[in-house]
Amino acid sequence: MNSRRNFLQKLGVTALALQLAPIAGWADSLPNDHGADEGPVLRVAIMGLGSYGERVAEAMRSCKKAKLVGVVSGTPSKIKTWQSRYGIPAKNCYNYENFDAIKNNPDIDAVYVITPNGLHHDEVIRVAKAGKHAICEKPMAINAKEGQEMVDACKAAGVKLLVGYRMHFEPKTLEVIRMRKAGEFGKIKFFQGLCGFTIGDPTQWRLNKQLSGGGSMMDIGIYAINGSRYMTGEDPVWVTAQETKTDHIKFKEGIDETIQFQFGFPSGATASCLSTYAMNNLDRFFLDGTDGFAEMQPSTGYGPIMGRTHKGELNQPITTHQTVQMDEMAAIIFEGKQPVVPIDGDEAVKDLKLIDAIYRAAKTGEKVEVKL
């Protein structure tokens, strides 16, 4: 497998056609009423036309409140292909040299940045300066300092900054969160998050420090970090971490292969997590409380999320994560809707502060206190 996205795509029984299948009779329990055609439509340009950009574009075909209307790419052939496939007019197509002219285009409301991590900072700030709402893939930046600069730039420009936390709208995930808030697990004591796959092509950008900002922690690890927070309902106050590297050729200096990390929460609950580029079959969340538990496996993949609690199997319907995400983002931008779990830049900066602390703890071997 060459990437996290291939890994996630192949988890579960995951043909894209299955994911895009219509879901009937469940509108009332979705975070957003997908039967509603009223209100403005969020007109989106995608920046970065790689595999995940394609997945988002395909999912947006089913959106009711968001529409793909533009592209930004440094590859002319990709632009031409996308124009044909999605009916994108030439006036809404940009490259990285002329992109700033998007500020004069009234037919684009937001730009979804789906490029390597190391490029997010500058690109989101360019989006903000152009007066467009910014949507950014996670992790939002390569460290908390850059992330905060992105948040500040968007606030100064008066535009929204949202991050692609698609799991914040996933039905089984939301059911576990609901149960936890209702006290059905009792006092939360422990969370475990296992995220990993065996990475392939050694020349890909994810193994390039300048583009990725790190290794597995800057890729698959974000799921365990963010998941530990929404599953427990708390933010960590301390971090410990240990790094293991077995292949120093593929995983050069600054590119982590495997990191185990632990969190401590104000309530006394703890978390034990793993992020790796060297092991497959790792996509599992486990939450334990005094009165019950929740287990999700797969927990974050593109394919059907599966899970059970002490009360039985989770049977919420399968959704196309990116379709729901984009419709929800439209509601957040146009209607001021508040999601169950935030997806804004401030939420993303918290995860980046934890990534910074994990790297520091792994390097020093010390417990690192954090304040989010």
Side-chain angles (χ1 to χ4, degrees):
M1 300 180 191
N2 292 329
S3 71
R4 165 189 65 187
R5 288 166 181 114
N6 288 338
F7 159 75
L8 293 174
Q9 182 176 356
K10 292 178 181 177
L11 282 170
V13 286
T14 57
L16 181 59
L18 173 62
Q19 285 290 14
L20 295 175
I23 300 160
W26 199 56
D28 291 341
S29 59
L30 277 173
N32 181 49
D33 182 359
H34 282 242
D37 291 308
E38 299 177 358
V41 171
L42 183 67
R43 299 166 299 176
V44 180
I46 289 180
M47 176 185 289
L49 309 184
S51 61
Y52 192 69
E54 291 177 356
R55 178 171 283 273
V56 171
E58 286 298 313
M60 287 183 69
R61 290 183 187 273
S62 301
C63 285
K64 300 297 185 183
K65 296 187 176 185
K67 179 179 176 60
L68 174 63
V69 300
V71 293
V72 185
S73 175
T75 307
S77 61
K78 284 187 177 182
I79 292 177
K80 185 173 295 186
T81 298
W82 279 55
Q83 279 189 269
S84 175
R85 183 179 298 163
Y86 301 108
I88 297 170
K91 68 181 182 62
N92 290 353
C93 298
Y94 299 87
N95 57 43
Y96 295 105
E97 285 69 43
N98 66 16
F99 168 72
D100 298 311
I102 201 172
K103 67 182 178 182
N104 301 316
N105 190 334
D107 296 329
I108 296 175
D109 302 310
V111 178
Y112 195 160
V113 176
I114 310 179
T115 57
N117 306 334
L119 306 179
H120 291 175
H121 172 269
D122 292 354
E123 289 169 347
V124 165
I125 290 175
R126 286 180 75 181
V127 171
K129 288 181 177 179
K132 305 300 180 182
H133 299 296
I135 303 170
C136 186
E137 255 313 297
K138 59 192 180 300
M140 186 177 72
I142 61 172
N143 56 52
K145 177 179 180 295
E146 285 199 356
Q148 189 60 55
E149 290 171 357
M150 295 159 70
V151 169
D152 294 343
C154 289
K155 288 180 178 178
V159 299
K160 295 281 189 182
L161 172 55
L162 304 178
V163 182
Y165 288 114
R166 59 189 168 81
M167 300 313 300
H168 293 196
F169 306 110
E170 195 282 317
K172 292 182 177 67
T173 300
L174 289 174
E175 174 60 12
V176 172
I177 292 171
R178 184 203 65 76
M179 292 178 67
R180 187 254 301 156
K181 287 183 173 181
E184 295 181 33
F185 302 122
K187 180 178 174 62
I188 300 301
K189 304 291 287 186
F190 176 73
F191 170 79
Q192 181 186 53
L194 305 177
C195 300
F197 64 96
T198 302
I199 199 165
D201 181 8
T203 66
Q204 65 180 279
W205 69 262
R206 290 175 184 83
L207 299 178
N208 180 319
K209 170 72 170 176
Q210 185 176 0
L211 292 175
S212 65
S216 68
M217 185 56 57
M218 295 302 299
D219 184 3
I220 197 74
I222 188 69
Y223 288 97
I225 293 168
N226 190 249
S228 73
R229 297 175 52 231
Y230 65 67
M231 292 286 277
T232 64
E234 296 189 89
D235 287 335
V237 293
W238 59 256
V239 176
T240 54
Q242 307 81 37
E243 180 177 1
T244 303
K245 186 175 292 191
T246 62
D247 186 340
H248 293 268
I249 297 176
K250 178 180 284 187
F251 304 106
K252 298 178 174 60
E253 182 67 26
I255 300 293
D256 50 283
E257 174 185 328
T258 300
I259 294 184
Q260 298 177 71
F261 56 97
Q262 302 79 39
F263 291 154
F265 299 93
S267 67
T270 57
S272 178
C273 303
L274 181 145
S275 170
T276 184
Y277 271 162
M279 289 176 266
N280 288 325
N281 310 308
L282 293 176
D283 184 17
R284 179 179 184 269
F285 284 177
F286 180 77
L287 183 70
D288 195 38
T290 55
D291 298 335
F293 72 91
E295 180 182 34
M296 306 181 76
Q297 185 174 4
S299 57
T300 64
Y302 299 145
I305 301 304
M306 301 178 70
R308 64 190 180 99
T309 74
H310 60 289
K311 294 187 173 182
E313 296 294 319
L314 293 169
N315 57 12
Q316 286 69 29
I318 298 165
T319 62
T320 304
H321 302 169
Q322 295 81 5
T323 302
V324 179
Q325 172 192 300
M326 296 309 298
D327 274 341
E328 286 295 299
M329 285 181 167
I332 291 168
I333 289 172
F334 289 136
E335 303 165 21
K337 186 173 182 178
Q338 296 299 312
V340 173
V341 183
I343 61 165
D344 56 21
D346 292 325
E347 170 79 0
V349 169
K350 290 182 178 182
D351 286 341
L352 293 171
K353 287 181 178 179
L354 289 169
I355 289 176
D356 289 349
I358 289 167
Y359 279 135
R360 188 159 62 251
K363 184 176 181 178
T364 65
E366 299 176 355
K367 178 187 285 188
V368 175
E369 306 291 331
V370 291
K371 184 175 182 181
L372 305 185

